[in-house]
Amino acid sequence: MRVAYILAANRLDADTIVAGILHPIHKFEVSPEMIKQEFGENVAKILITTNKIITLPMNSKTLHESDAIRKMLFAMCDDPRVILLTLSDRLDRIRNISSLEKEQQHALAEAVIEIWAPLADRLGMQKEKNEFEDMSLKYTNPKVYKQIEEIVSQSQEERAAYLEKAVNSIYKSAEKMGISVTIKSRAKHFYSIYQKMRKRNKEASELYDLLALRILCNTSAECYTLVGIVHGLWKPMDGRFKDYIAMPKANNYQSLHTTVVTPFNETFEIQIRTYEMHRIAEYGVAAHWKY
């Protein structure tokens, strides 16, 4: 039922959700013919392929092997719903990892970071990718995870008041330009912070862009106008502007990214995208799997 809920939250169709409820069927004496008779050929096909994948041994030790496994998964599937169901099953497993033995926890956390997070990223499923990475870090490097959690919590409390002022400033400026926007503040996900710590050889407390604002609007033209508004309010940080609208990422991700410095030396990242871009960034292939 938990897996079915994940699929429903991603707006998958009834057949996939039914397959989500039935997907542990390989543990019972139920034939494909019985499934076909009760729930139709579509559900049976999704289940049969999904069960082949989730029963495969996946203990890859190298990035090369992990990449080969991902290619094999795509080769096995002619229906993207199978991949989405498999990802949902893995996501449910990592969410409920505490029920496993320590050794199994570590193996699952490693498989998640090597296989399932990159797969979610390739499919453009940002939300799932972030959760996979954060949960994996929590069980492969709990000490660092706890350290980042504490720093982010402190930063959030310290900067909440300023972020509220920043949000209000953007709302007022956008309104003057006749642009309707939705603004959300968020903490960077933990694995992203961990990667920056390693890359820059710094502690979490030394990183500046732990919090971010996301501005949603209606059109691409409004996105560029809003960048102008933001850069008019605060000084943009050199080399930190990225235009993924004109040049989308390989997984179709589109957004404008900029980092700004306030007069009080506070620094935060701002993402600007349309509602449609946001839907695709959050759900990836699940946002348009029917096509």
Side-chain angles (χ1 to χ4, degrees):
M1 287 302 294
R2 291 193 307 262
V3 170
Y5 182 83
I6 294 167
L7 294 165
N10 276 296
R11 300 178 186 178
L12 270 295
D13 65 330
D15 284 344
T16 317
I17 294 167
V18 169
I21 295 168
L22 298 174
H23 82 280
I25 208 84
H26 62 279
K27 297 175 184 175
F28 307 94
E29 293 180 8
V30 180
S31 68
E33 288 73 27
M34 289 166 72
I35 297 165
K36 201 180 294 183
Q37 187 179 340
E38 290 291 334
F39 302 101
E41 193 169 340
N42 220 357
V43 172
K45 277 183 180 178
I46 294 169
L47 273 175
I48 291 163
T49 313
T50 302
N51 279 319
K52 282 179 185 174
I53 294 170
I54 61 179
T55 53
L56 283 172
M58 293 189 188
N59 297 316
S60 65
K61 296 295 179 189
T62 69
L63 188 61
H64 176 74
E65 287 174 359
S66 302
D67 192 47
I69 289 170
R70 286 193 294 274
K71 285 177 181 173
M72 178 185 69
L73 294 179
F74 279 111
M76 288 174 71
C77 303
D78 58 1
D79 187 335
R81 292 175 296 180
V82 172
I83 293 286
L84 294 169
L85 175 50
T86 309
L87 275 172
S88 299
D89 173 77
R90 298 298 100 168
L91 187 60
D92 178 67
R93 288 202 72 191
I94 196 79
R95 282 176 178 174
N96 295 280
I97 194 172
S98 57
S99 62
L100 303 175
E101 298 292 328
K102 287 283 181 190
E103 196 175 313
Q104 291 176 306
Q105 286 181 1
H106 195 77
L108 176 59
E110 282 193 338
V112 158
I113 204 65
E114 290 171 1
I115 298 164
W116 304 108
L119 185 61
D121 186 43
R122 186 170 169 180
L123 295 172
M125 301 178 74
Q126 196 70 25
K127 197 169 68 169
E128 282 78 5
K129 169 193 169 274
N130 291 351
E131 190 174 351
F132 274 134
E133 289 177 341
D134 284 356
M135 291 295 287
S136 174
L137 180 63
K138 188 175 182 177
Y139 286 91
T140 54
N141 201 334
K143 190 177 175 182
V144 170
Y145 183 91
K146 188 73 179 169
Q147 182 194 358
I148 294 171
E149 188 176 41
E150 286 170 3
I151 295 294
V152 168
S153 177
Q154 288 167 15
S155 301
Q156 217 162 4
E157 288 167 16
E158 290 166 8
R159 298 180 186 181
Y162 187 79
L163 278 177
E164 191 179 346
K165 288 180 185 175
V167 167
N168 289 334
S169 298
I170 297 168
Y171 271 126
K172 284 176 186 174
S173 300
E175 192 178 355
K176 283 179 187 174
M177 298 292 290
I179 301 174
S180 174
V181 297
T182 301
I183 305 171
K184 298 174 182 176
S185 61
R186 63 185 182 88
K188 289 285 188 75
H189 77 284
F190 291 5
Y191 190 78
S192 168
I193 295 169
Y194 171 64
Q195 290 288 73
K196 286 180 180 178
M197 287 167 64
R198 291 175 64 192
K199 189 177 176 182
R200 301 175 193 173
N201 197 25
K202 294 190 178 213
E203 293 292 315
S205 56
E206 296 176 272
L207 297 175
Y208 50 80
D209 51 352
L210 300 184
L211 295 177
L213 291 179
R214 182 175 289 143
I215 308 172
L216 305 180
C217 59
N218 291 302
T219 67
S220 296
E222 288 179 350
C223 291
Y224 290 102
T225 303
L226 286 162
V227 166
I229 288 171
V230 165
H231 288 175
L233 289 168
W234 304 287
K235 182 184 175 183
M237 214 171 161
D238 189 37
R240 297 282 295 171
F241 175 70
K242 293 173 185 173
D243 186 345
Y244 295 120
I245 293 179
M247 291 174 287
K249 289 187 180 182
N251 59 16
N252 290 325
Y253 174 86
Q254 286 185 291
S255 190
L256 299 178
H257 292 194
T258 187
T259 302
V260 295
V261 186
T262 73
F264 305 103
N265 214 28
E266 291 283 352
T267 311
F268 55 92
E269 184 188 83
I270 298 176
Q271 295 178 354
I272 304 168
R273 62 178 74 145
T274 67
Y275 292 100
E276 178 63 12
M277 290 172 194
H278 181 62
R279 188 174 72 88
I280 291 168
E282 289 292 293
Y283 299 109
V285 72
H288 43 212
W289 65 268
K290 287 180 184 176
Y291 305 107

